[in-house]
Amino acid sequence: MAGIAAVVAGVAVGAPSAYAADTVVSKGRAVAASAGSAARAVDGKTSTRWTTSGRGTQWLRVDLGAMSAVSRVRLSWGSAFARVYRLETSADGNTWAPLYATSTGDGRTDDIAGLQGSARFVRLTATPRGAKGLALGELEVFGHRTESAPVPVPVPATRADLGTDIAMQIVSSAENSSLDWRAQYQYIEDIGDGRGYTGGIVGFCSGTGDMLEVVEAYTAAAPGNVLAKYLPALRSVNGTASHAGLGAAFVADWKSAATDPAFRKAQDDERDRVYFNPAIAQAKADGLRALGQFAYFDALVMHGPGNDASSFGGIRKAALAKAKSPAQGGDETAYLNAFLDARVAAMRTEEAHSDTSRVDTAQRVFLAAGNLDLRVPLSWKVYGDPYTITA
């Protein structure tokens, strides 16, 4: 998850990762949170803490007061910390883009450097490791004020944006060997990738927090549903590959819940919030049309947000090291080839994802045909099986 920066839908790219005058730009700024005394997280004192209770996922949002280049974030955790958390940025407080994510937090001071972004708002979303909730001494955002928001790069009025249905059909061909993505609300299994159970329309995982968030949202909408009783277990196994407290009963109840419209909506909303909307926003900021938007979405679904080499941010960073994005004045086809090259390299580091046909015989087919707008009809293959979308 250098050159001319572009801001579109609250996402900035190409901002410098280091700057001589980078300082803490979050201290004393307006802040809000899902619970607790949020101001304690930005008062400049680690002895005072933003605290929450219970196991539920919480958020903390700081308004930097003006558009700022963000190069580093430091989190000073107390004894009650998050193993799984993510950082996001926004220009308007409504549309968010991924900045950093981890599922291996250890409760110490996390000093996250080398970030590239520009935003007015920074949000932390965290899932407590245990029942005591969260204790965060300080959220420090380092960077520098930018005099004005970078000017968006104009795009052709006729450009096509990625539609959810087409995106989901192509993803489903790779994930489920079927274009019927709506049949996958009930899907769940352990695919042996170290992320516990994988389930639902984009492969929410019990080990990475998004499966927990789906069930939390479902329970908020439909208290007493068949999955609500597994919330303690899902919180306990978050960040691990464990099935403790879940097992065959959980699998059966997940499949049963798939007939409930409220459960389907919870999956749709999580897909859009964590994967689809951030992918589209970042792709637009990079000046990409529908094919590039899909390439980002598919990568974010499989690899997750984050900046390590095998996560979306690391893949994008590797691509930008090889080619300029259209927003930086580069050629769109050349940049997408660089992105797909980086994607394939990341896939080959994980045995469960080592088959790269979802890139080689799908996305590259569209790219070679010059179909940057993903106009139908679309024909491709995944794992040797042919697929076509005609309308």
Side-chain angles (χ1 to χ4, degrees):
M1 278 332 221
I4 299 172
V7 174
V8 180
V11 186
V13 296
S17 60
Y19 185 78
D22 277 359
T23 58
V24 177
V25 293
S26 54
K27 183 179 177 181
R29 293 292 174 181
V31 64
S34 54
S37 300
R40 295 177 180 175
V42 294
D43 62 3
K45 299 180 289 185
T46 57
S47 59
T48 60
R49 295 175 177 177
W50 169 58
T51 60
T52 69
S53 60
R55 294 181 180 271
T57 299
Q58 305 289 344
W59 57 265
L60 177 74
R61 183 186 69 234
V62 60
D63 180 352
L64 303 179
M67 288 298 295
S68 303
V70 176
S71 60
R72 176 180 163 206
V73 175
R74 185 162 61 201
L75 300 169
S76 301
W77 293 105
S79 58
F81 62 91
R83 192 175 303 280
V84 178
Y85 66 84
R86 64 178 179 271
L87 293 164
E88 299 166 295
T89 59
S90 175
D92 59 9
N94 295 312
T95 302
W96 297 88
L99 181 68
Y100 174 82
T102 185
S103 60
T104 58
D106 60 9
R108 302 174 183 176
T109 298
D110 291 343
D111 203 337
I112 308 159
L115 301 176
Q116 297 185 31
S118 181
R120 174 167 175 169
F121 299 87
V122 175
R123 181 172 67 184
L124 166 70
T125 302
T127 302
R129 175 182 62 94
K132 294 182 179 180
L134 297 172
L136 182 68
E138 199 73 8
L139 165 65
E140 297 169 283
V141 179
F142 291 78
H144 62 277
R145 298 283 187 267
T146 52
E147 292 187 3
S148 61
V151 178
V153 175
V155 297
T158 57
R159 71 177 296 157
D161 286 334
L162 180 65
T164 305
D165 187 60
I166 284 180
M168 290 302 297
Q169 288 186 69
I170 301 173
V171 167
S172 185
S173 72
E175 295 285 346
N176 310 295
S177 299
S178 167
L179 297 183
D180 186 8
W181 63 269
R182 291 178 178 84
Q184 309 313 316
Y185 288 110
Q186 66 174 341
Y187 162 72
I188 184 167
E189 65 175 322
D190 189 329
I191 63 174
D193 62 354
R195 298 182 175 99
Y197 284 116
T198 296
I201 54 175
V202 292
F204 307 111
C205 295
S206 59
T208 61
D210 51 3
M211 181 174 282
L212 168 61
E213 290 173 353
V214 167
V215 178
E216 286 180 332
Y218 178 34
T219 302
N225 68 74
V226 296
L227 295 178
K229 59 180 174 288
Y230 298 103
L231 281 171
L234 285 168
R235 290 167 182 145
S236 177
V237 303
N238 196 7
T240 77
S242 174
H243 295 176
L246 301 173
F250 174 68
V251 169
D253 285 337
W254 178 280
K255 293 179 179 179
S256 173
T259 62
D260 187 344
F263 184 50
R264 294 186 172 211
K265 185 178 186 302
Q267 290 195 34
D268 291 344
D269 289 348
E270 183 75 0
R271 173 202 61 201
D272 292 347
R273 184 180 67 83
V274 178
Y275 301 107
F276 192 78
N277 292 343
I280 303 310
Q282 184 65 73
K284 286 184 176 182
D286 285 346
L288 301 175
R289 286 176 275 178
L291 177 56
Q293 293 167 24
F294 175 76
Y296 275 23
F297 174 56
D298 192 55
L300 197 56
V301 165
M302 174 178 282
H303 302 279
N307 289 319
D308 59 279
S310 61
S311 294
F312 171 78
I315 294 169
R316 176 176 169 271
K317 182 179 180 180
L320 288 169
K322 297 291 185 180
K324 289 183 178 180
S325 71
Q328 297 171 320
D331 177 77
E332 188 169 3
T333 298
Y335 174 73
L336 284 177
N337 270 315
F339 182 83
L340 294 179
D341 287 345
R343 170 82 190 280
V344 166
M347 290 174 70
R348 287 176 174 162
T349 65
E350 298 185 37
E351 184 176 354
H353 300 141
S354 58
D355 187 318
T356 61
S357 65
R358 69 192 294 159
V359 172
D360 300 331
T361 59
Q363 296 173 54
R364 286 201 195 273
V365 169
F366 308 142
L367 185 59
N371 191 358
L372 298 175
D373 289 312
L374 275 186
R375 292 190 176 93
V376 294
L378 297 170
S379 295
W380 72 97
K381 291 183 179 180
V382 180
Y383 314 134
D385 297 327
Y387 299 92
T388 298
I389 297 175
T390 57

